[in-house]
Amino acid sequence: MGLVGGGPGSFIGRIHRIAAELDGEAKLVCGAFSSDAQRSREAGAAYQVDPARAYPSYAKMFEAELALPADRRMDFVAVVTPNHVHYEPARLALEHGFHVVVDKPLCFSLNEARDLQAAVERTGGVLAVTYTYSGYPLIKEARALIQGGRIGGVRKIYVEYPQGWLATDLEGGGQKQASWRTDPTRSGAGGAIGDIGTHAAHLAEYVSGLRITQIAAMLNTFVPGRQLDDDASMLLRFDNGASGVLVATQVAAGEENNLSLRIYGELGSIEWRHADPNSLVLRSLNAPLQILRTGSPYLGEAATRSTRTPPGHPEGYVEAFANIYAAFYRSVRAHADGAKFDPRSYDFPGINDGVRGMAFIEAAIRSAWSQQKWTEFV
Ligand code: NAD
């Protein structure tokens, strides 16, 4: 594994490293950890990689790694930089024959996303997008229950993602993660809608198995001087006629990371909350309420395969990331074996999900500016 990003003081790069190595299937061997060569070296020392492989730039890393014997070079790279530095390293990596894990949103714009999709098709490389929440065992159970008809045809989806950490002008004080997320030259056209709205939209589609077809969005910027939205509310229509409500806000003062999902069908419903991710509430028209728990023997194959500990031993955020990595590795191995395979059959978010996320951001923004009620989500 190589990393692009994950330098000193960064957030998600270290999580990727831990998750990627969790099952002993990969090891971090190199990185371009920062845009600053000295900081990249410092990070390399902290990660205990060979100093010669803590590169000053990702372009140098891809060249140098490709020049190594095949059994020594990295197999894949995780791109964990701010959004404006996703497309170029991901494309270059694919073109040098490396597989890619890239954090969400896929990149900076829908145009870039489509170019990256073309690069995946051209090179045949495997690309995963870490829509983390789809990696939780009980999210997989909820998806399987719905696929199996347990709650009947889906009618109504509520997905809410309130955070409070951007309730004040954090970027004004130079806070690293807030600074680029609120800067349209680094984050892209979306603020909260891109940062967490894309997670919510992906989760709603992944669990329900449906696709959003139309949206009616309201975007707000509550913190004075902020250049991007920090609050989004929208109505959704799905391809089976189901209706939905999506809320993504980063100014819900006091909230931590309170993602939740409720899906109502003709016969019953499911409810999952990130604050209690090892419980899944299952309601039925004609049976008592049930609370399903991670690790329990009655759960289905997808949830069981995504669980490492017995019931009562909490599985969390890192494990959810690791589940995406595990599916990505299965796909990479099939690729290495020369198997004819479709990465979509490996149950991890891929390039199409990434492109859809970028289309979602742009459709939400179009909708918010439009006087028309519904905007098509292509
Ligand atoms: P961050 O600001 O904490 O870290 C970004 C890192 O990228 C820093 O180390 C920075 O030095 C490095 N960097 C910037 N330009 C670089 C370059 N040209 N070459 C090499 N390194 C470079 O950001 P973060 O909060 O970790 O977010 C990174 C990405 O991960 C974003 O796209 C974000 O949306 C995503 N993210 C996803 C989740 C999730 O749950 N899936 C959570 C947090 C962040």
Side-chain angles (χ1 to χ4, degrees), residues 299-312:
L299 297 180
E301 197 265 329
T304 302
R305 188 169 61 176
S306 309
T307 306
R308 292 169 184 75
T309 51

Side-chain angles (χ1 to χ4, degrees), residues 142-355:
R143 175 179 160 90
L145 288 173
I146 290 174
Q147 268 173 357
R150 184 68 178 268
I151 66 166
V154 170
R155 288 173 166 160
K156 188 93 196 167
I157 300 179
Y158 293 86
V159 60
E160 291 176 59
Y161 201 156
Q163 293 182 332
W165 70 290
L166 286 177
T168 61
D169 177 23
L170 209 54
E171 61 272 33
Q175 203 264 12
K176 187 178 173 72
Q177 284 75 26
S179 296
W180 69 257
R181 279 177 172 80
T182 54
D183 172 0
T185 68
R186 291 184 284 169
S187 187
I193 191 67
D195 199 35
I196 57 173
T198 47
H199 272 304
H202 180 265
L203 194 69
E205 290 195 337
Y206 177 74
V207 175
S208 68
L210 302 174
R211 286 165 73 84
I212 302 166
T213 54
Q214 289 184 311
I215 63 183
M218 172 174 66
L219 300 187
N220 300 299
T221 303
F222 280 109
V223 172
R226 185 165 283 162
Q227 295 184 67
L228 291 172
D229 65 276
D230 50 25
D231 172 78
S233 307
M234 65 186 72
L235 301 178
L236 307 172
R237 258 196 196 130
F238 290 85
D239 55 357
N240 73 337
S243 84
V245 178
L246 184 153
V247 175
T249 182
Q250 294 181 309
V251 294
E255 290 282 10
E256 292 178 342
N257 197 52
N258 199 6
L259 173 63
S260 68
L261 176 71
R262 283 177 290 150
I263 302 186
Y264 296 92
E266 294 157 338
L267 306 173
S269 59
I270 62 95
E271 177 174 356
W272 180 85
R273 294 174 51 244
H274 189 246
D276 182 16
N278 293 298
S279 297
L280 177 70
V281 177
L282 178 61
R283 297 185 176 88
S284 306
L285 274 183
N286 44 25
L289 174 148
Q290 289 182 290
I291 298 177
L292 312 184
R293 296 278 296 159
T294 303
S296 301
Y298 49 73
L299 297 180
E301 197 265 329
T304 302
R305 188 169 61 176
S306 309
T307 306
R308 292 169 184 75
T309 51
H313 300 77
E315 300 261 327
Y317 189 60
V318 170
E319 287 88 348
F321 264 105
N323 289 335
I324 295 177
Y325 272 97
F328 169 75
Y329 296 151
R330 285 194 285 277
S331 180
V332 166
R333 255 191 234 107
H335 184 281
D337 291 345
K340 221 178 155 21
F341 77 108
D342 179 351
R344 281 174 298 187
S345 61
Y346 288 85
D347 192 17
F348 64 84
I351 184 68
N352 294 340
D353 301 277
V355 172

